PDB file of all heavy atoms in Angstrom:
ATOM      1  N   VAL B  48     -36.629  -7.108  23.663  1.00  0.00           N
ATOM      2  CA  VAL B  48     -35.997  -5.791  23.533  1.00  0.00           C
ATOM      3  C   VAL B  48     -37.032  -4.710  23.224  1.00  0.00           C
ATOM      4  O   VAL B  48     -36.984  -3.615  23.792  1.00  0.00           O
ATOM      5  CB  VAL B  48     -34.895  -5.831  22.459  1.00  0.00           C
ATOM      6  CG1 VAL B  48     -34.323  -4.457  22.231  1.00  0.00           C
ATOM      7  CG2 VAL B  48     -33.797  -6.775  22.889  1.00  0.00           C
ATOM      8  N   LEU B  49     -38.024  -5.029  22.358  1.00  0.00           N
ATOM      9  CA  LEU B  49     -39.067  -4.036  22.067  1.00  0.00           C
ATOM     10  C   LEU B  49     -39.852  -3.722  23.334  1.00  0.00           C
ATOM     11  O   LEU B  49     -40.181  -2.562  23.606  1.00  0.00           O
ATOM     12  CB  LEU B  49     -40.019  -4.563  20.997  1.00  0.00           C
ATOM     13  CG  LEU B  49     -39.744  -4.151  19.562  1.00  0.00           C
ATOM     14  CD1 LEU B  49     -40.710  -4.849  18.630  1.00  0.00           C
ATOM     15  CD2 LEU B  49     -39.885  -2.658  19.395  1.00  0.00           C
ATOM     16  N   GLY B  50     -40.159  -4.759  24.137  1.00  0.00           N
ATOM     17  CA  GLY B  50     -40.922  -4.556  25.363  1.00  0.00           C
ATOM     18  C   GLY B  50     -40.190  -3.660  26.356  1.00  0.00           C
ATOM     19  O   GLY B  50     -40.816  -3.029  27.205  1.00  0.00           O
ATOM     20  N   ILE B  51     -38.868  -3.601  26.260  1.00  0.00           N
ATOM     21  CA  ILE B  51     -38.113  -2.742  27.181  1.00  0.00           C
ATOM     22  C   ILE B  51     -37.846  -1.361  26.591  1.00  0.00           C
ATOM     23  O   ILE B  51     -38.060  -0.340  27.241  1.00  0.00           O
ATOM     24  CB  ILE B  51     -36.774  -3.418  27.563  1.00  0.00           C
ATOM     25  CG1 ILE B  51     -37.075  -4.675  28.372  1.00  0.00           C
ATOM     26  CG2 ILE B  51     -35.893  -2.488  28.369  1.00  0.00           C
ATOM     27  CD1 ILE B  51     -35.866  -5.503  28.628  1.00  0.00           C
ATOM     28  N   THR B  52     -37.396  -1.322  25.314  1.00  0.00           N
ATOM     29  CA  THR B  52     -36.964  -0.025  24.781  1.00  0.00           C
ATOM     30  C   THR B  52     -38.125   0.921  24.509  1.00  0.00           C
ATOM     31  O   THR B  52     -37.967   2.135  24.665  1.00  0.00           O
ATOM     32  CB  THR B  52     -36.162  -0.190  23.480  1.00  0.00           C
ATOM     33  OG1 THR B  52     -36.937  -0.929  22.556  1.00  0.00           O
ATOM     34  CG2 THR B  52     -34.853  -0.875  23.731  1.00  0.00           C
ATOM     35  N   VAL B  53     -39.294   0.407  24.085  1.00  0.00           N
ATOM     36  CA  VAL B  53     -40.390   1.327  23.761  1.00  0.00           C
ATOM     37  C   VAL B  53     -40.843   2.118  24.988  1.00  0.00           C
ATOM     38  O   VAL B  53     -40.906   3.351  24.932  1.00  0.00           O
ATOM     39  CB  VAL B  53     -41.553   0.592  23.057  1.00  0.00           C
ATOM     40  CG1 VAL B  53     -42.758   1.495  22.918  1.00  0.00           C
ATOM     41  CG2 VAL B  53     -41.119   0.109  21.694  1.00  0.00           C
ATOM     42  N   PRO B  54     -41.127   1.469  26.143  1.00  0.00           N
ATOM     43  CA  PRO B  54     -41.493   2.289  27.308  1.00  0.00           C
ATOM     44  C   PRO B  54     -40.375   3.224  27.773  1.00  0.00           C
ATOM     45  O   PRO B  54     -40.659   4.367  28.161  1.00  0.00           O
ATOM     46  CB  PRO B  54     -41.842   1.265  28.391  1.00  0.00           C
ATOM     47  CG  PRO B  54     -41.427  -0.034  27.885  1.00  0.00           C
ATOM     48  CD  PRO B  54     -41.355   0.054  26.416  1.00  0.00           C
ATOM     49  N   VAL B  55     -39.113   2.767  27.712  1.00  0.00           N
ATOM     50  CA  VAL B  55     -38.012   3.653  28.142  1.00  0.00           C
ATOM     51  C   VAL B  55     -37.954   4.879  27.246  1.00  0.00           C
ATOM     52  O   VAL B  55     -37.882   6.022  27.716  1.00  0.00           O
ATOM     53  CB  VAL B  55     -36.661   2.895  28.129  1.00  0.00           C
ATOM     54  CG1 VAL B  55     -35.520   3.876  28.323  1.00  0.00           C
ATOM     55  CG2 VAL B  55     -36.627   1.848  29.213  1.00  0.00           C
ATOM     56  N   ASN B  56     -38.037   4.661  25.921  1.00  0.00           N
ATOM     57  CA  ASN B  56     -38.009   5.794  25.004  1.00  0.00           C
ATOM     58  C   ASN B  56     -39.241   6.669  25.159  1.00  0.00           C
ATOM     59  O   ASN B  56     -39.184   7.875  24.942  1.00  0.00           O
ATOM     60  CB  ASN B  56     -37.896   5.301  23.557  1.00  0.00           C
ATOM     61  CG  ASN B  56     -36.472   4.949  23.210  1.00  0.00           C
ATOM     62  OD1 ASN B  56     -35.549   5.448  23.830  1.00  0.00           O
ATOM     63  ND2 ASN B  56     -36.290   4.087  22.239  1.00  0.00           N
ATOM     64  N   TYR B  57     -40.368   6.027  25.540  1.00  0.00           N
ATOM     65  CA  TYR B  57     -41.585   6.817  25.778  1.00  0.00           C
ATOM     66  C   TYR B  57     -41.351   7.820  26.901  1.00  0.00           C
ATOM     67  O   TYR B  57     -41.664   9.000  26.778  1.00  0.00           O
ATOM     68  CB  TYR B  57     -42.740   5.879  26.135  1.00  0.00           C
ATOM     69  CG  TYR B  57     -44.000   6.598  26.538  1.00  0.00           C
ATOM     70  CD1 TYR B  57     -44.864   7.102  25.574  1.00  0.00           C
ATOM     71  CD2 TYR B  57     -44.321   6.791  27.871  1.00  0.00           C
ATOM     72  CE1 TYR B  57     -46.006   7.773  25.935  1.00  0.00           C
ATOM     73  CE2 TYR B  57     -45.460   7.466  28.243  1.00  0.00           C
ATOM     74  CZ  TYR B  57     -46.307   7.963  27.266  1.00  0.00           C
ATOM     75  OH  TYR B  57     -47.433   8.640  27.623  1.00  0.00           O
ATOM     76  N   LEU B  58     -40.739   7.331  28.005  1.00  0.00           N
ATOM     77  CA  LEU B  58     -40.485   8.221  29.140  1.00  0.00           C
ATOM     78  C   LEU B  58     -39.499   9.313  28.761  1.00  0.00           C
ATOM     79  O   LEU B  58     -39.682  10.485  29.107  1.00  0.00           O
ATOM     80  CB  LEU B  58     -39.956   7.418  30.331  1.00  0.00           C
ATOM     81  CG  LEU B  58     -40.992   6.475  30.952  1.00  0.00           C
ATOM     82  CD1 LEU B  58     -40.364   5.622  32.023  1.00  0.00           C
ATOM     83  CD2 LEU B  58     -42.150   7.278  31.532  1.00  0.00           C
ATOM     84  N   ILE B  59     -38.432   8.927  28.023  1.00  0.00           N
ATOM     85  CA  ILE B  59     -37.447   9.926  27.610  1.00  0.00           C
ATOM     86  C   ILE B  59     -38.088  10.992  26.744  1.00  0.00           C
ATOM     87  O   ILE B  59     -37.894  12.199  26.940  1.00  0.00           O
ATOM     88  CB  ILE B  59     -36.290   9.241  26.859  1.00  0.00           C
ATOM     89  CG1 ILE B  59     -35.443   8.484  27.864  1.00  0.00           C
ATOM     90  CG2 ILE B  59     -35.450  10.249  26.098  1.00  0.00           C
ATOM     91  CD1 ILE B  59     -34.218   7.893  27.293  1.00  0.00           C
ATOM     92  N   ASN B  60     -38.924  10.535  25.802  1.00  0.00           N
ATOM     93  CA  ASN B  60     -39.575  11.478  24.906  1.00  0.00           C
ATOM     94  C   ASN B  60     -40.497  12.411  25.683  1.00  0.00           C
ATOM     95  O   ASN B  60     -40.518  13.617  25.472  1.00  0.00           O
ATOM     96  CB  ASN B  60     -40.367  10.697  23.855  1.00  0.00           C
ATOM     97  CG  ASN B  60     -40.864  11.575  22.746  1.00  0.00           C
ATOM     98  OD1 ASN B  60     -40.107  12.354  22.197  1.00  0.00           O
ATOM     99  ND2 ASN B  60     -42.130  11.458  22.435  1.00  0.00           N
TER     100      ASN B  60
END
Side-chain angles (χ1 to χ4, degrees):
Chain B
V48 175
L49 264 175
I51 294 172
T52 55
V53 171
V55 170
N56 279 336
Y57 174 81
L58 292 174
I59 287 186
N60 190 48

